[in-house]
Coordinates of all heavy atoms in Angstrom, one line a residue:
M25 N 107.3 110.5 98.9 CA 105.9 110.7 99.3 C 105.2 111.4 98.2 O 105.6 112.5 97.8 CB 105.9 111.4 100.6 CG 104.5 111.4 101.3 SD 104.7 111.9 103.0 CE 103.2 112.6 103.3
S26 N 104.1 110.9 97.7 CA 103.4 111.6 96.6 C 102.4 112.6 97.2 O 102.1 112.6 98.4 CB 102.6 110.5 95.8 OG 101.6 109.9 96.5
D27 N 101.8 113.4 96.3 CA 101.0 114.5 96.8 C 99.7 114.0 97.4 O 99.1 114.7 98.3 CB 100.6 115.4 95.6 CG 101.8 116.2 95.2 OD1 102.8 116.3 95.9 OD2 101.8 116.8 94.1
D28 N 99.2 112.8 97.1 CA 98.0 112.4 97.6 C 98.2 111.6 98.9 O 97.2 111.1 99.5 CB 97.2 111.5 96.6 CG 98.0 110.3 96.2 OD1 99.2 110.2 96.4 OD2 97.4 109.4 95.5
Q29 N 99.4 111.5 99.4 CA 99.7 110.9 100.7 C 99.9 111.9 101.8 O 100.6 112.9 101.6 CB 100.9 110.0 100.6 CG 100.7 108.8 99.7 CD 102.0 108.0 99.5 OE1 103.1 108.5 99.2 NE2 101.9 106.7 99.7
K30 N 99.2 111.7 102.9 CA 99.3 112.6 104.0 C 99.8 111.8 105.3 O 99.5 110.6 105.4 CB 98.0 113.2 104.4 CG 97.5 114.2 103.3 CD 96.2 114.9 103.7 CE 95.7 115.9 102.7 NZ 95.4 115.3 101.4
L31 N 100.5 112.5 106.1 CA 101.0 111.9 107.4 C 99.9 111.9 108.4 O 99.0 112.8 108.4 CB 102.2 112.7 107.9 CG 103.4 112.6 107.0 CD1 104.5 113.5 107.6 CD2 103.9 111.2 107.0
K32 N 99.9 110.9 109.2 CA 98.9 110.8 110.3 C 99.1 112.0 111.3 O 98.1 112.6 111.7 CB 99.1 109.5 111.1 CG 98.0 109.2 112.1 CD 97.2 108.1 111.6 CE 96.1 107.8 112.7 NZ 94.8 107.6 112.1
D33 N 100.3 112.3 111.6 CA 100.6 113.5 112.4 C 101.8 114.2 111.8 O 103.0 113.8 112.1 CB 100.9 113.0 113.9 CG 101.2 114.2 114.8 OD1 101.3 115.4 114.3 OD2 101.4 114.0 116.0
P34 N 101.6 115.3 111.0 CA 102.7 115.9 110.4 C 103.7 116.5 111.3 O 104.9 116.7 111.0 CB 102.0 117.1 109.6 CG 100.6 116.6 109.4 CD 100.3 115.8 110.7
Q35 N 103.3 116.8 112.6 CA 104.3 117.3 113.6 C 105.2 116.2 114.1 O 106.3 116.4 114.5 CB 103.6 117.8 114.8 CG 102.6 119.0 114.5 CD 103.3 120.2 113.8 OE1 104.4 120.5 114.3 NE2 102.7 120.8 112.8
N36 N 104.7 114.9 114.0 CA 105.5 113.7 114.5 C 105.4 112.7 113.4 O 104.7 111.7 113.5 CB 104.9 113.2 115.8 CG 105.0 114.3 116.9 OD1 106.1 114.6 117.3 ND2 103.8 114.8 117.3
P37 N 106.2 112.8 112.3 CA 106.0 111.9 111.2 C 106.2 110.4 111.5 O 105.5 109.6 110.9 CB 107.2 112.4 110.2 CG 107.4 113.8 110.6 CD 107.2 113.9 112.1
S38 N 107.1 110.1 112.5 CA 107.3 108.7 112.9 C 106.5 108.4 114.1 O 106.8 107.3 114.7 CB 108.8 108.5 113.1 OG 109.5 108.7 111.9
G39 N 105.6 109.2 114.5 CA 104.7 108.9 115.6 C 105.3 109.5 116.9 O 106.3 110.2 116.8
P40 N 104.7 109.3 118.0 CA 103.6 108.3 118.2 C 102.3 108.8 117.6 O 101.9 110.0 117.6 CB 103.4 108.3 119.7 CG 104.0 109.6 120.2 CD 105.1 110.0 119.3
V41 N 101.5 107.8 117.0 CA 100.2 108.0 116.5 C 99.3 106.9 117.0 O 99.8 105.8 117.3 CB 100.1 108.1 115.0 CG1 101.0 109.2 114.4 CG2 100.5 106.7 114.4
T42 N 98.0 107.2 117.2 CA 97.1 106.2 117.6 C 96.3 105.7 116.5 O 95.7 106.5 115.7 CB 96.2 106.8 118.7 OG1 97.0 107.2 119.8 CG2 95.2 105.7 119.3
V43 N 96.2 104.3 116.4 CA 95.3 103.7 115.4 C 94.4 102.8 116.2 O 94.9 101.8 116.8 CB 96.1 102.9 114.3 CG1 95.1 102.3 113.3 CG2 97.1 103.8 113.6
R44 N 93.1 103.1 116.2 CA 92.2 102.3 117.1 C 92.7 102.2 118.5 O 92.8 103.3 119.1 CB 91.8 101.0 116.4 CG 91.1 101.1 115.1 CD 90.8 99.8 114.4 NE 92.0 99.1 114.0 CZ 92.6 99.3 112.8 NH1 92.0 100.1 111.9 NH2 93.7 98.6 112.4
N45 N 93.0 101.0 119.0 CA 93.3 100.9 120.4 C 94.8 100.8 120.7 O 95.2 100.4 121.8 CB 92.6 99.6 121.0 CG 91.1 99.8 121.1 OD1 90.7 100.9 121.4 ND2 90.4 98.7 120.8
M46 N 95.6 101.1 119.7 CA 97.1 101.0 119.9 C 97.8 102.2 119.4 O 97.3 103.0 118.5 CB 97.6 99.8 119.1 CG 97.1 98.4 119.6 SD 97.8 97.0 118.8 CE 97.0 97.0 117.3
T47 N 98.9 102.5 120.0 CA 99.8 103.6 119.6 C 101.1 103.1 119.0 O 101.7 102.1 119.6 CB 100.0 104.5 120.9 OG1 98.8 105.0 121.3 CG2 100.9 105.7 120.5
F48 N 101.5 103.7 118.0 CA 102.7 103.2 117.2 C 103.7 104.4 117.1 O 103.3 105.5 116.9 CB 102.3 102.8 115.8 CG 101.4 101.7 115.8 CD1 100.0 101.9 115.9 CD2 101.8 100.4 115.7 CE1 99.1 100.8 116.0 CE2 100.9 99.3 115.8 CZ 99.6 99.5 115.9
H49 N 105.0 104.0 117.2 CA 106.0 105.0 117.2 C 107.3 104.3 116.6 O 107.7 103.2 117.1 CB 106.3 105.4 118.7 CG 107.6 106.1 118.9 ND1 108.3 105.9 120.0 CD2 108.2 107.1 118.2 CE1 109.4 106.6 120.0 NE2 109.4 107.4 118.9
V50 N 107.9 104.9 115.6 CA 109.1 104.4 115.1 C 110.3 105.1 115.7 O 110.4 106.4 115.7 CB 109.2 104.6 113.5 CG1 110.5 104.2 113.0 CG2 108.0 103.9 112.8
D51 N 111.2 104.3 116.3 CA 112.4 104.9 116.9 C 113.4 105.1 115.7 O 113.9 104.2 115.1 CB 113.0 103.9 117.9 CG 114.3 104.5 118.5 OD1 115.0 105.2 117.9 OD2 114.5 104.1 119.7
R52 N 113.5 106.4 115.4 CA 114.3 106.7 114.2 C 115.7 106.4 114.3 O 116.4 106.2 113.3 CB 114.1 108.2 113.8 CG 112.6 108.5 113.4 CD 112.5 110.0 113.1 NE 113.3 110.5 112.0 CZ 112.9 110.5 110.8 NH1 111.7 110.0 110.4 NH2 113.7 111.0 109.8
D53 N 116.2 106.3 115.5 CA 117.6 105.9 115.7 C 117.8 104.4 115.4 O 118.9 104.0 115.0 CB 118.1 106.2 117.1 CG 118.2 107.7 117.4 OD1 118.4 108.5 116.4 OD2 118.0 108.2 118.5
L54 N 116.8 103.6 115.7 CA 116.9 102.2 115.4 C 116.6 101.8 114.0 O 117.0 100.8 113.4 CB 116.0 101.4 116.3 CG 116.3 101.4 117.8 CD1 115.3 100.6 118.6 CD2 117.7 100.7 118.0
C55 N 115.7 102.6 113.3 CA 115.2 102.3 112.0 C 116.4 102.3 111.0 O 117.2 103.3 110.9 CB 114.2 103.3 111.5 SG 113.6 103.0 109.8
I56 N 116.6 101.2 110.3 CA 117.7 101.1 109.3 C 117.2 101.2 107.9 O 117.9 100.9 106.9 CB 118.5 99.8 109.5 CG1 117.6 98.6 109.5 CG2 119.3 99.9 110.8 CD1 118.4 97.3 109.4
G57 N 115.9 101.5 107.7 CA 115.3 101.6 106.4 C 115.1 100.3 105.6 O 115.1 100.3 104.4
A58 N 115.0 99.2 106.3 CA 114.8 98.0 105.7 C 113.5 97.8 104.9 O 113.3 97.0 104.0 CB 114.9 96.8 106.7
A59 N 112.5 98.6 105.3 CA 111.2 98.7 104.6 C 110.4 97.5 104.7 O 109.4 97.3 104.0 CB 111.4 99.1 103.2
T60 N 110.7 96.6 105.7 CA 109.9 95.4 105.9 C 108.5 95.9 106.3 O 107.5 95.3 105.9 CB 110.5 94.6 107.1 OG1 111.8 94.3 106.7 CG2 109.7 93.3 107.2
C61 N 108.4 96.9 107.2 CA 107.2 97.5 107.6 C 106.3 98.0 106.5 O 105.1 97.8 106.5 CB 107.4 98.6 108.6 SG 108.4 99.9 108.0
V62 N 106.9 98.5 105.4 CA 106.2 99.0 104.3 C 105.6 97.9 103.5 O 104.4 97.9 103.0 CB 107.1 99.8 103.4 CG1 106.4 100.3 102.1 CG2 107.7 101.0 104.1
A63 N 106.3 96.8 103.4 CA 105.8 95.6 102.7 C 104.6 95.0 103.5 O 103.7 94.5 102.9 CB 106.9 94.5 102.6
I64 N 104.7 95.0 104.8 CA 103.6 94.3 105.6 C 102.4 95.2 105.8 O 101.3 94.7 105.8 CB 104.2 93.8 106.9 CG1 105.3 92.8 106.7 CG2 103.1 93.2 107.8 CD1 106.1 92.3 107.9
A65 N 102.6 96.5 106.0 CA 101.5 97.4 106.3 C 101.7 98.6 105.4 O 102.0 99.7 105.8 CB 101.6 97.8 107.8
P66 N 101.4 98.4 104.1 CA 101.6 99.5 103.1 C 100.8 100.7 103.2 O 101.1 101.7 102.7 CB 101.4 98.7 101.8 CG 100.5 97.6 102.1 CD 100.8 97.2 103.5
N67 N 99.6 100.6 103.9 CA 98.8 101.8 104.2 C 99.3 102.6 105.3 O 98.9 103.7 105.5 CB 97.4 101.4 104.5 CG 96.7 100.7 103.3 OD1 96.6 101.2 102.2 ND2 96.3 99.4 103.5
T68 N 100.3 102.1 106.1 CA 100.7 102.7 107.3 C 102.1 103.4 107.1 O 102.3 104.5 107.5 CB 100.8 101.7 108.4 OG1 99.5 101.2 108.6 CG2 101.2 102.4 109.7
Y69 N 103.0 102.6 106.5 CA 104.4 103.1 106.5 C 104.9 103.4 105.1 O 104.6 102.7 104.2 CB 105.3 102.0 107.1 CG 105.0 101.7 108.6 CD1 104.4 100.6 108.9 CD2 105.4 102.6 109.6 CE1 104.1 100.3 110.3 CE2 105.1 102.4 110.9 CZ 104.4 101.2 111.2 OH 104.1 101.0 112.6
I70 N 105.7 104.5 105.0 CA 106.5 104.8 103.8 C 107.8 105.3 104.4 O 108.0 105.6 105.5 CB 105.8 105.8 102.9 CG1 105.6 107.1 103.6 CG2 104.6 105.3 102.3 CD1 105.2 108.3 102.7
M71 N 108.8 105.3 103.5 CA 110.1 105.8 103.8 C 110.2 107.3 103.5 O 109.7 107.8 102.5 CB 111.2 105.1 103.1 CG 111.0 103.5 103.1 SD 110.8 102.9 104.7 CE 112.4 103.5 105.5
D72 N 110.8 108.0 104.4 CA 111.1 109.5 104.1 C 112.4 109.6 103.4 O 113.1 108.6 103.1 CB 111.0 110.3 105.4 CG 112.1 110.1 106.4 OD1 113.1 109.4 106.1 OD2 112.0 110.6 107.5
S73 N 112.8 110.9 103.2 CA 114.0 111.1 102.4 C 115.3 110.7 103.2 O 116.4 110.6 102.6 CB 114.1 112.6 102.1 OG 114.1 113.4 103.3
E74 N 115.2 110.5 104.5 CA 116.3 110.0 105.3 C 116.3 108.5 105.4 O 117.0 107.9 106.2 CB 116.3 110.6 106.7 CG 116.4 112.1 106.6 CD 116.3 112.8 108.0 OE1 116.1 112.1 109.0 OE2 116.3 114.0 108.0
A75 N 115.4 107.8 104.7 CA 115.2 106.3 104.7 C 114.8 105.9 106.1 O 115.3 104.8 106.6 CB 116.5 105.6 104.3
K76 N 114.0 106.7 106.7 CA 113.3 106.3 108.0 C 111.8 106.1 107.8 O 111.2 106.9 107.0 CB 113.6 107.4 109.1 CG 115.0 107.8 109.3 CD 115.8 106.7 110.0 CE 117.2 107.1 110.2 NZ 118.0 106.0 110.9
A77 N 111.2 105.2 108.5 CA 109.8 105.0 108.3 C 109.0 106.1 109.0 O 109.2 106.5 110.1 CB 109.4 103.6 108.9
I78 N 108.0 106.5 108.2 CA 107.0 107.5 108.7 C 105.6 106.9 108.5 O 105.4 106.0 107.7 CB 107.2 108.9 108.0 CG1 107.2 108.8 106.5 CG2 108.4 109.6 108.5 CD1 107.3 110.1 105.8
I79 N 104.6 107.5 109.2 CA 103.3 106.9 109.3 C 102.2 107.7 108.6 O 102.1 108.9 108.9 CB 103.0 106.7 110.8 CG1 104.1 105.9 111.5 CG2 101.6 106.1 111.0 CD1 103.9 105.8 113.0
L80 N 101.5 107.0 107.7 CA 100.5 107.7 106.9 C 99.2 107.8 107.6 O 98.8 106.9 108.5 CB 100.3 106.9 105.6 CG 101.5 106.9 104.6 CD1 101.3 105.8 103.6 CD2 101.7 108.2 104.0
D81 N 98.3 108.7 107.2 CA 97.0 108.9 107.8 C 96.0 107.8 107.3 O 94.9 107.7 107.8 CB 96.4 110.2 107.6 CG 95.9 110.5 106.2 OD1 96.2 109.7 105.3 OD2 95.2 111.5 106.0
T82 N 96.5 106.9 106.4 CA 95.7 105.8 105.9 C 96.0 104.5 106.8 O 95.5 103.4 106.4 CB 95.9 105.5 104.5 OG1 97.4 105.5 104.2 CG2 95.3 106.5 103.5
A83 N 96.7 104.7 107.9 CA 97.1 103.6 108.7 C 95.8 102.8 109.2 O 95.9 101.6 109.4 CB 97.9 104.1 110.0
D84 N 94.7 103.5 109.4 CA 93.5 102.9 109.8 C 93.0 101.8 108.8 O 92.2 100.9 109.2 CB 92.4 103.9 110.0 CG 92.8 104.9 111.1 OD1 93.6 105.8 110.7 OD2 92.2 104.8 112.2
N85 N 93.5 101.8 107.6 CA 93.1 100.9 106.6 C 93.9 99.6 106.7 O 93.6 98.6 106.0 CB 93.3 101.4 105.2 CG 92.4 102.6 104.9 OD1 91.4 102.8 105.6 ND2 92.7 103.5 104.0
D86 N 94.9 99.5 107.5 CA 95.6 98.3 107.8 C 95.0 97.6 109.0 O 94.6 98.3 110.0 CB 97.1 98.5 108.0 CG 97.9 98.7 106.7 OD1 97.5 98.1 105.7 OD2 98.8 99.5 106.6
T87 N 94.9 96.3 109.0 CA 94.3 95.6 110.2 C 95.3 95.7 111.4 O 96.5 95.9 111.3 CB 94.1 94.2 109.8 OG1 95.4 93.5 109.6 CG2 93.2 94.0 108.6
D88 N 94.7 95.4 112.6 CA 95.5 95.4 113.8 C 96.6 94.3 113.6 O 97.8 94.5 114.0 CB 94.7 95.0 115.0 CG 93.8 96.2 115.5 OD1 94.0 97.3 114.9 OD2 93.0 96.0 116.3
D89 N 96.3 93.2 113.0 CA 97.2 92.1 112.8 C 98.4 92.6 111.9 O 99.6 92.3 112.2 CB 96.6 90.9 112.1 CG 95.8 90.0 113.1 OD1 96.0 90.3 114.4 OD2 95.1 89.2 112.7
A90 N 98.1 93.3 110.8 CA 99.1 93.8 109.9 C 100.0 94.8 110.7 O 101.2 94.8 110.5 CB 98.5 94.5 108.7
L91 N 99.4 95.6 111.5 CA 100.2 96.6 112.2 C 101.1 96.0 113.2 O 102.3 96.4 113.4 CB 99.2 97.6 112.9 CG 98.5 98.5 112.0 CD1 97.3 99.2 112.7 CD2 99.4 99.5 111.3
L92 N 100.6 94.9 113.9 CA 101.5 94.2 114.8 C 102.5 93.4 114.1 O 103.7 93.3 114.5 CB 100.6 93.3 115.7 CG 99.9 94.0 116.9 CD1 98.9 93.1 117.5 CD2 100.9 94.5 117.9
D93 N 102.1 92.8 113.0 CA 103.1 92.0 112.2 C 104.2 92.9 111.7 O 105.4 92.5 111.6 CB 102.4 91.3 111.0 CG 101.7 90.0 111.5 OD1 101.9 89.6 112.6 OD2 100.9 89.5 110.7
A94 N 103.9 94.1 111.3 CA 104.9 95.0 110.8 C 105.9 95.3 111.9 O 107.1 95.3 111.7 CB 104.3 96.3 110.3
A95 N 105.4 95.5 113.1 CA 106.3 95.7 114.3 C 107.2 94.5 114.5 O 108.4 94.6 114.7 CB 105.5 96.1 115.5
R96 N 106.5 93.3 114.5 CA 107.3 92.1 114.8 C 108.3 91.8 113.7 O 109.3 91.2 113.9 CB 106.3 90.9 114.9 CG 105.4 91.0 116.1 CD 104.6 89.7 116.2 NE 103.6 89.8 117.2 CZ 102.2 89.8 117.0 NH1 101.8 89.7 115.8 NH2 101.4 89.9 118.0
G97 N 108.0 92.3 112.4 CA 108.9 92.0 111.3 C 110.0 92.9 111.2 O 111.0 92.6 110.4
C98 N 110.0 94.0 111.9 CA 111.1 95.0 111.8 C 112.4 94.3 112.3 O 112.4 93.9 113.5 CB 110.8 96.2 112.6 SG 112.1 97.4 112.6
P99 N 113.5 94.3 111.5 CA 114.7 93.6 111.9 C 115.4 94.2 113.1 O 116.2 93.6 113.8 CB 115.6 93.7 110.7 CG 115.0 94.8 109.9 CD 113.5 94.8 110.2
T100 N 115.1 95.5 113.4 CA 115.8 96.1 114.6 C 114.8 96.5 115.7 O 115.1 97.2 116.6 CB 116.4 97.4 114.1 OG1 115.5 98.3 113.6 CG2 117.5 97.2 113.1
A101 N 113.5 96.0 115.6 CA 112.5 96.2 116.6 C 112.4 97.7 116.8 O 112.3 98.2 118.0 CB 112.8 95.5 117.9
A102 N 112.3 98.5 115.7 CA 112.3 99.9 115.8 C 110.8 100.4 116.0 O 110.7 101.6 116.3 CB 112.9 100.5 114.6
I103 N 109.8 99.6 115.8 CA 108.4 100.0 115.9 C 107.9 99.6 117.3 O 107.9 98.4 117.6 CB 107.6 99.4 114.8 CG1 108.1 99.8 113.4 CG2 106.1 99.8 115.0 CD1 107.4 99.1 112.3
I104 N 107.6 100.6 118.1 CA 107.2 100.4 119.5 C 105.7 100.5 119.5 O 105.1 101.5 119.0 CB 107.9 101.4 120.4 CG1 109.4 101.1 120.4 CG2 107.3 101.3 121.8 CD1 110.2 102.3 120.2
V105 N 105.0 99.5 120.1 CA 103.5 99.5 120.1 C 103.1 99.5 121.6 O 103.6 98.7 122.4 CB 103.0 98.2 119.4 CG1 101.5 98.3 119.3 CG2 103.7 98.0 118.1
Q106 N 102.1 100.4 121.9 CA 101.5 100.4 123.2 C 100.0 100.2 123.1 O 99.4 100.6 122.1 CB 101.8 101.8 123.9 CG 103.3 102.0 124.1 CD 103.5 103.4 124.8 OE1 102.8 104.3 124.5 NE2 104.5 103.4 125.7
D107 N 99.4 99.7 124.2 CA 98.0 99.6 124.2 C 97.4 100.9 124.7 O 98.2 101.9 124.9 CB 97.5 98.4 125.1 CG 97.8 98.6 126.5 OD1 98.1 99.7 127.0 OD2 97.7 97.6 127.3
K108 N 96.1 101.0 124.8 CA 95.5 102.3 125.1 C 95.8 102.8 126.5 O 95.6 104.0 126.8 CB 93.9 102.2 124.8 CG 93.2 101.2 125.7 CD 91.7 101.3 125.4 CE 90.9 100.1 126.0 NZ 91.3 99.7 127.3
D109 N 96.3 101.9 127.3 CA 96.6 102.3 128.7 C 98.1 102.7 128.8 O 98.6 103.0 129.9 CB 96.3 101.2 129.7 CG 94.8 100.9 129.7 OD1 94.0 101.8 129.7 OD2 94.5 99.7 129.8
G110 N 98.8 102.7 127.7 CA 100.2 103.1 127.7 C 101.2 101.9 128.0 O 102.4 102.1 128.2
H111 N 100.6 100.7 128.1 CA 101.5 99.5 128.3 C 102.1 99.1 127.0 O 101.4 99.0 126.0 CB 100.7 98.4 129.0 CG 100.1 98.7 130.3 ND1 98.8 98.5 130.6 CD2 100.7 99.3 131.4 CE1 98.6 99.0 131.8 NE2 99.7 99.4 132.3
Q112 N 103.4 98.8 127.1 CA 104.1 98.4 125.8 C 103.7 97.0 125.5 O 103.9 96.0 126.3 CB 105.6 98.5 126.0 CG 106.4 98.3 124.7 CD 107.8 98.9 124.8 OE1 108.0 100.0 125.3 NE2 108.8 98.1 124.4
I113 N 103.2 96.8 124.2 CA 102.8 95.5 123.7 C 104.0 94.8 123.0 O 104.3 93.6 123.0 CB 101.7 95.6 122.7 CG1 100.4 96.2 123.4 CG2 101.3 94.3 122.1 CD1 99.3 96.6 122.5
F114 N 104.8 95.7 122.2 CA 105.9 95.2 121.5 C 106.9 96.3 121.4 O 106.5 97.5 121.2 CB 105.4 94.7 120.1 CG 106.6 94.0 119.3 CD1 106.8 92.7 119.5 CD2 107.4 94.8 118.5 CE1 107.8 92.0 118.9 CE2 108.4 94.1 117.9 CZ 108.6 92.8 118.0
P115 N 108.2 96.0 121.4 CA 108.8 94.7 121.8 C 108.5 94.4 123.3 O 108.4 95.3 124.1 CB 110.3 95.0 121.6 CG 110.5 96.3 120.9 CD 109.2 97.1 121.1
Q116 N 108.5 93.1 123.5 CA 108.2 92.7 124.9 C 109.5 92.4 125.7 O 110.5 92.1 125.1 CB 107.4 91.4 124.9 CG 105.9 91.7 124.4 CD 105.1 90.5 124.3 OE1 105.6 89.5 123.8 NE2 103.8 90.6 124.6
Ligands
SF4_17 S1 111.0 97.6 109.2 FE1 111.9 98.7 110.9 S2 114.0 99.2 110.2 FE2 112.7 98.7 108.4 S3 111.9 100.7 107.7 FE3 110.4 99.7 109.0 S4 110.8 100.6 111.1 FE4 112.6 101.0 109.8

């Protein structure tokens, strides 16, 4: 992580964090560091020193589609997405 990058929630690097109408959370036990999420939503995810995905405060710069595609693209379904009412959107 470079000096100009900040976490969305420094207390909860892997979330949950809210971006617009959705909440995102990386299950660190499931994350295997494949970095697919980083490729799909580069403003949102980077890898930490333990090779787990953490969430940047620039997540708002990725589209809802990119954020959902990143969750769908995760090989272990480690990214959990909820709507604003707390209902789980992904994984279904
Ligand atoms: S795609 Fe999934 S397993 Fe890979 S780094 Fe992201 S959250 Fe972790």
Side-chain angles (χ1 to χ4, degrees):
M25 193 164 150
S26 64
D27 288 346
D28 59 347
Q29 289 176 313
K30 293 188 176 62
L31 293 174
K32 188 112 178 134
D33 181 353
Q35 303 298 321
N36 298 291
S38 294
V41 301
T42 300
V43 180
R44 294 178 294 272
N45 290 324
M46 294 186 285
T47 299
F48 299 85
H49 163 224
V50 176
D51 184 327
R52 294 177 62 87
D53 291 331
L54 289 178
C55 177
I56 56 168
T60 309
C61 56
V62 179
I64 297 174
N67 296 302
T68 302
Y69 296 105
I70 58 168
M71 311 309 301
D72 70 9
S73 59
E74 297 173 1
K76 306 291 183 181
I78 52 177
I79 303 172
L80 294 166
D81 75 345
T82 48
D84 300 74
N85 295 338
D86 283 326
T87 64
D88 287 350
D89 281 348
L91 291 167
L92 281 168
D93 281 349
R96 293 186 187 113
C98 174
T100 61
I103 300 174
I104 295 133
V105 188
Q106 294 181 325
D107 68 15
K108 60 179 169 38
D109 297 321
H111 298 129
Q112 189 162 312
I113 300 171
F114 189 86
Q116 288 174 324

